[in-house]
Amino acid sequence: MSKIPVKQIDSADKCSRCHASYCCTYFTHQIDTPRSMSDFDTLLWQVSHEQTEIYKDEDGWFLLLTTRCQHLQDDGRCGIYEVRPQICRDHSNDNCEFDGLCGPDDFDLYFRTHDDLDAYCRKRFRKWDKRFALFAKQS
Ligand code: SF4
Ligand code: SF4
């Protein structure tokens, strides 16, 4: 799930059954690989926002934002089909989200909440609970 999922309207049978239940309702954004406590502290802030999750897969680290495209119509069709962005045009419905492609089972790491990520950081960094004092010394 390393690219923004979008809808391919042309393959009518498959997409009409799906009604864009999967694509067009979220996007992903690749981020730099987090390494330091400061990096992970920033990720904690990001994952604290509603409808924002973080995952890592073979392509790297990503924010996953579950947010429906404003152009997705109630009938599952694209409201700006003729001028839809290129990334939407490039997306194929061959082996797409409808088929179960690229879900949480494919992630190496998956953080849905602040507490998920905080627990991971606590294991990863011995001084995680002292990070604010350490940040203050570094500034
Ligand atoms: S998830 Fe796949 S089948 Fe469903 S609308 Fe999108 S491209 Fe079509
Ligand atoms: S612009 Fe159209 S095809 Fe692209 S994500 Fe939005 S509804 Fe889907």
Side-chain angles (χ1 to χ4, degrees):
M1 195 152 66
S2 57
K3 60 180 182 252
I4 298 174
V6 286
K7 182 181 178 189
Q8 189 73 273
I9 310 284
D10 305 80
S11 302
D13 285 349
K14 190 175 181 185
C15 292
S16 63
R17 272 189 286 131
C18 172
H19 274 237
S21 302
Y22 303 99
C23 69
C24 308
T25 60
Y26 69 90
F27 69 91
T28 61
H29 179 72
Q30 188 161 21
I31 57 176
D32 292 340
T33 299
R35 302 188 192 284
S36 67
M37 284 199 289
S38 177
D39 294 340
F40 278 93
D41 190 65
T42 299
L43 291 186
L44 268 186
W45 164 64
Q46 291 175 315
V47 79
S48 295
H49 288 72
E50 290 181 0
Q51 295 164 224
T52 303
E53 300 174 346
I54 297 166
Y55 69 88
K56 175 187 174 298
D57 68 9
E58 61 185 11
D59 294 322
W61 287 75
F62 293 85
L63 298 180
L64 165 58
L65 293 103
T66 308
T67 178
R68 179 184 168 98
C69 176
Q70 295 178 31
H71 304 297
L72 179 58
Q73 299 179 330
D74 290 344
D75 63 1
R77 293 184 175 275
C78 175
I80 58 164
Y81 183 66
E82 295 302 328
V83 292
R84 69 198 186 286
Q86 187 63 49
I87 196 162
C88 305
R89 296 164 189 269
D90 291 342
H91 186 265
S92 167
N93 70 353
D94 291 339
N95 200 21
C96 65
E97 296 87 342
F98 184 68
D99 306 298
L101 175 72
C102 296
D105 290 347
D106 303 301
F107 300 159
D108 302 324
L109 295 168
Y110 183 32
F111 307 108
R112 304 184 69 177
T113 66
H114 172 284
D115 288 354
D116 286 348
L117 183 57
D118 188 62
Y120 172 82
C121 292
R122 203 170 295 283
K123 287 181 187 166
R124 177 166 175 149
F125 298 105
R126 195 166 40 86
K127 296 183 178 176
W128 180 246
D129 286 333
K130 297 177 180 164
R131 67 189 183 283
F132 299 121
L134 293 169
F135 294 163
K137 276 186 195 170
Q138 291 164 4
S139 62

